[in-house]
Amino acid sequence: MTTPSATAASCTDAPRPAPLLAFVVPCYNEQETLPRTMDELSRLLADCKARGLVRPESYVLYVDDGSRDDTWALIERRHAQDPFCRGVRFAGNAGHQNAVWAGMETAREWGVDCIISLDADLQDDISVIPEMLARYAEGCDIVYGVRASRSTDTPFKRGTAHFFYALMRKLHVSIIPDHADYRLVARPVLKALEGYGEQSLFLRGLFPTMGFRTATVSYARKAREAGVSKYPLRKMLAFAWRGITSCSAAPLRVAGLMSLVCMGLAILLCGVTLWKYAMGETVQGWTSLIIVTLLLGSVQLFCLAIMGEYIAKIFTEVRHRPRYIVEKTL
């Protein structure tokens, strides 16, 4: 089932020809699930070529994010047998978002017309990829894969996911609910990404801000068949925090609000202290000491919150570290 987004109506240019497509598949310790994934993507790619949906040179690009198991060895063996299997290996673990970025960047340098990023566990239903390509042919530059429901999640994960998306909306962050990193991205978008230099990537919040023509394709997410999830609760919380801090300065403003609350409480306590002093219920020297301590502490918190907003913006930009280091390329 295909559900166009609010901006999909603008995807009305002349039909595009079949694209040179690259599947971008980030991998981290996926030796258990990768053989099945390679077989299924190879069959899907061959079917799309036979139907004329993509050009014959289209390929799958696996990005090994510093795996410690046999993931890279599996990619090398498949590459030796299949010229349409390509690979990039990081020198160390750089994170899922950087692996997706590296795949997009490499594919752009190799001249693709569009990419489709998807996770190696294939929980995202690849049968809707022809629909994504149909939206691309109609002129859409970004096609989001959106989950039709979260029935395969635990109640806790489903509840926290809904809370996260609701929170992001409250923070006025542009994000597609129930969309992860399953998306088609056309070459104009890939070229535009060259101008984005931020170090802390949160791609789910980045693409909706770019202004290109978009559509959505809904699908039913499958249960994981092999291996273990690479996003336990700790990593999920860290990823959510990265998303919030990458797309919004609201946490810093909350710090400023907290300092104002503390200042108000300090003033209230100052009044109570002065009242007690007037009533004779005090210790000599304690009144002046507590007033100065409370007022100065709250004012300092307020000033630090304001400075922190600017320092945080500077800190994320001035390091200019490479997002990842490529060790090998197939």
Side-chain angles (χ1 to χ4, degrees), residues 266 288-300:
S288 58
L289 178 63
I290 196 63
I291 289 175
V292 170
T293 301
L294 291 174
L295 281 176
L296 282 181
S298 57
V299 170
Q300 286 172 348

Side-chain angles (χ1 to χ4, degrees), residues 119 121-125 146-153 157 178-182 204 218-224 229 231:
D119 290 341
D121 55 22
L122 291 193
Q123 287 184 265
D124 299 320
D125 186 6
V146 178
R147 296 177 62 171
S149 70
R150 306 191 71 94
S151 58
T152 57
D153 289 346
K157 187 172 182 179
D178 296 321
H179 163 70
D181 287 292
Y182 186 27
R204 302 179 197 185
S218 62
Y219 67 95
R221 187 171 172 84
K222 303 176 182 178
R224 189 180 180 96
S229 172
Y231 273 93

Side-chain angles (χ1 to χ4, degrees), residues 265-275 290-292 294-295:
L265 291 174
I267 294 173
L268 179 63
L269 288 173
C270 288
V272 172
T273 302
L274 289 172
W275 181 77
I290 196 63
I291 289 175
V292 170
L294 291 174
L295 281 176

Side-chain angles (χ1 to χ4, degrees), residues 44-66:
L44 175 64
L45 190 60
D47 179 64
C48 289
K49 291 178 181 180
R51 295 165 59 184
L53 300 179
V54 299
R55 284 166 49 184
E57 314 95 276
S58 299
Y59 56 89
V60 185
L61 175 59
Y62 297 95
V63 182
D64 181 8
D65 185 20

Side-chain angles (χ1 to χ4, degrees), residues 33-154:
T33 190
L34 200 55
R36 180 185 65 87
T37 297
M38 288 177 165
D39 291 339
E40 293 198 23
L41 289 181
S42 179
R43 284 194 294 268
L44 175 64
L45 190 60
D47 179 64
C48 289
K49 291 178 181 180
R51 295 165 59 184
L53 300 179
V54 299
R55 284 166 49 184
E57 314 95 276
S58 299
Y59 56 89
V60 185
L61 175 59
Y62 297 95
V63 182
D64 181 8
D65 185 20
S67 298
R68 296 188 298 271
D69 61 4
D70 289 334
T71 294
W72 182 248
L74 291 170
I75 296 171
E76 286 184 316
R77 285 199 291 270
R78 181 59 67 103
H79 173 72
Q81 303 167 0
D82 182 0
F84 299 109
C85 172
R86 303 185 184 184
V88 170
R89 184 183 188 185
F90 290 171
N93 180 247
H96 178 272
Q97 298 291 277
N98 284 319
V100 176
W101 186 279
M104 294 191 298
E105 193 169 49
T106 303
R108 185 193 69 239
E109 292 171 356
W110 290 350
V112 298
D113 297 310
C114 63
I115 66 97
I116 294 178
S117 59
L118 65 162
D119 290 341
D121 55 22
L122 291 193
Q123 287 184 265
D124 299 320
D125 186 6
I126 61 174
S127 68
V128 301
I129 285 177
E131 298 181 44
M132 288 183 166
L133 292 170
R135 302 291 80 76
Y136 167 83
E138 293 170 0
C140 293
D141 294 309
I142 305 174
V143 183
Y144 300 104
V146 178
R147 296 177 62 171
S149 70
R150 306 191 71 94
S151 58
T152 57
D153 289 346
T154 63

Side-chain angles (χ1 to χ4, degrees), residues 17-38:
L20 172 56
L21 170 71
F23 290 130
V24 172
V25 186
C27 307
Y28 180 65
N29 294 341
E30 296 286 358
Q31 66 177 12
E32 294 181 32
T33 190
L34 200 55
R36 180 185 65 87
T37 297
M38 288 177 165

